[in-house]
Amino acid sequence: MDRASLLLFAAAYLAVLILPGPGVTALVARVLARGAQGAPAFIAGFVAGALLWFTVAATGLAAIAATFAVLFVAIRIAGAAYLLRLAWKLWTAPARPAAAADASPDSNARLFLTGLAINLGNPKVIAFFLALLPTVVDLRTLTPAGFAELALLVAVIASGVLGAYAAAAARARRLFASPRALRLMNRGGAVAMVGAAAAMLARRNP
């Protein structure tokens, strides 16, 4: 693909991701409350979801996605339910130093699935790709090389933006060490996760 088209796609996707959605909110809330361990697994799940939606849009499978809309509703509900579970754990967690908080009981597999579910449960993602891709490339003539270039951009931009948010949240967490501050961060993170879950449940299929 020509450089101008790739830059247009990258700029538009970057602009969308920089505005915090449920995925960014959930990630930042968890890092602030529990530390940065597990963030890469969450980000990997989020990126996998973005790549799946991109593939669905780029290969013309949007009609199939609409046919299985009930499945994505179920994924959205499951993702929101897990966020609510994490919110409860954060709200009731004891205030611990950052080093101890990194020893999180949440497995990487669970965090990966959480990131995946949040993205798959967001029908606005495929709507974005369906609106943007035709302005960048004729999908009827999209080559495997062009698909790979766009998919690489999706993975790099999504992981870069979420990684930057996670790093900023981890740095902010280290500035607070008192039990009161940690308790406030835990409960603030819990409230943010409840908000992310509510945002997921409020979304409708396009």
Side-chain angles (χ1 to χ4, degrees), residues 8-28:
L8 173 62
F9 177 86
Y13 189 51
L14 178 63
V16 168
L17 283 185
I18 285 178
L19 298 175
V24 169
T25 302
L27 175 63
V28 169

Side-chain angles (χ1 to χ4, degrees), residues 94-196:
R96 297 175 295 175
D102 280 343
S104 172
D106 298 318
S107 69
N108 285 334
R110 284 187 178 182
L111 291 170
F112 177 89
L113 291 176
T114 301
L116 179 65
I118 288 175
N119 221 349
L120 290 185
N122 185 358
K124 300 299 181 183
V125 178
I126 192 171
F128 166 78
F129 283 131
L130 286 174
L132 178 63
L133 284 177
T135 68
V136 177
V137 63
D138 184 350
L139 295 179
R140 295 170 299 179
T141 60
L142 181 63
T143 65
F147 175 89
E149 288 174 334
L150 291 172
L152 180 61
L153 279 177
V154 170
V156 170
I157 293 172
S159 58
V161 170
L162 268 72
Y165 271 111
R171 183 172 182 178
R173 177 179 175 80
R174 288 194 291 270
L175 299 177
F176 301 92
S178 71
R180 176 179 173 80
L182 292 175
R183 187 177 297 108
L184 288 174
M185 281 196 298
N186 283 346
R187 295 190 172 181
V191 171
M193 283 195 176
V194 170

